[in-house]
Amino acid sequence: MAHPSRQPRDGRRGGGDRQAHRRARAGELSVRKTAFAPVAAGDARVLILGSLPGDASLAAGRYYAHPQNRFWHLVGHVIGSDVSHLAYEERLDALKSAGIALWDTVASARREGSLDAAIREASHAPLADLAAGLPDLRAVAFNGRKASAIGRPQLAGRDLALIDLPSSSPAFAAMPLADKERLWARLADFLI
């Protein structure tokens, strides 16, 4: 008989299920997730930076693909045009036409699931290089705290407005949508 202190808490012997679960979790964490290429026209005036695409976005190969993510609604509110109903490539074209570029602060990282808090071993994207290649850039907006924590230090000291925005993620549902719309609307001032 196994020593009582070595038996699983649920009373089963062996603990094989827990060990299998730990191995499965370790396998998920060993997968390195990689961000998309930036979406930017040379005349971009605003750069919106997320942290790292979530699993739904990575699976779809599209920025902000999770159906509950409010990004497309919020950015449509900024440019005064509902882009959420457009095909993905048309959404990107609408943003570029409005002077908005997209990218992420994390080039790659290990992460189980989609939460920013689970990001481990992050390699940061070369944000200063992208900003330097956008001569009309006026503002950089950070979509959530993690994006700001990683991106601000890379862009500090540049002649750019750095704007923290509430996350468009469904994981950040504490703030009402109307408040998010009001805070995101500030970006319109830099597109004129």
Side-chain angles (χ1 to χ4, degrees), residues 67-83:
Q68 293 176 343
N69 192 301
R70 303 303 296 190
F71 176 82
W72 295 108
H73 170 84
L74 291 166
V75 79
H77 186 73
V78 169
I79 65 173
S81 176
D82 179 11
V83 296

Side-chain angles (χ1 to χ4, degrees), residues 144-161:
R145 288 183 185 154
K146 187 71 159 188
S148 179
I150 294 170
R152 270 184 175 276
Q154 293 186 59
L155 297 168
R158 296 187 171 269
D159 189 22
L160 295 169

Side-chain angles (χ1 to χ4, degrees), residues 45-189:
R45 294 177 299 284
V46 172
L47 170 61
I48 301 175
L49 295 171
S51 55
L52 179 68
D55 287 348
S57 293
L58 290 170
R62 298 181 297 150
Y63 280 99
Y64 302 102
H66 192 290
Q68 293 176 343
N69 192 301
R70 303 303 296 190
F71 176 82
W72 295 108
H73 170 84
L74 291 166
V75 79
H77 186 73
V78 169
I79 65 173
S81 176
D82 179 11
V83 296
S84 61
H85 70 281
L86 298 175
Y88 180 67
E89 291 301 324
E90 292 173 324
R91 290 178 189 187
L92 297 181
D93 289 343
L95 293 190
K96 288 189 277 188
S97 293
I100 295 177
L102 296 178
W103 206 19
D104 288 302
T105 59
V106 176
S108 70
R110 297 189 189 285
R111 181 181 64 199
E112 179 182 357
S114 296
L115 295 178
D116 284 352
I119 292 174
R120 303 286 181 265
E121 301 174 28
S123 295
H124 299 171
L127 304 178
D129 292 345
L130 178 63
L134 299 173
D136 296 330
L137 192 63
R138 299 177 188 165
V140 177
F142 302 101
N143 185 0
R145 288 183 185 154
K146 187 71 159 188
S148 179
I150 294 170
R152 270 184 175 276
Q154 293 186 59
L155 297 168
R158 296 187 171 269
D159 189 22
L160 295 169
L162 302 179
I163 303 165
D164 291 342
L165 296 173
S167 176
S168 64
S169 169
F172 184 64
M175 180 179 287
L177 182 59
D179 291 344
K180 289 184 182 185
E181 287 173 346
R182 181 178 46 78
L183 293 168
W184 277 67
R186 298 178 293 168
L187 298 182
D189 295 340

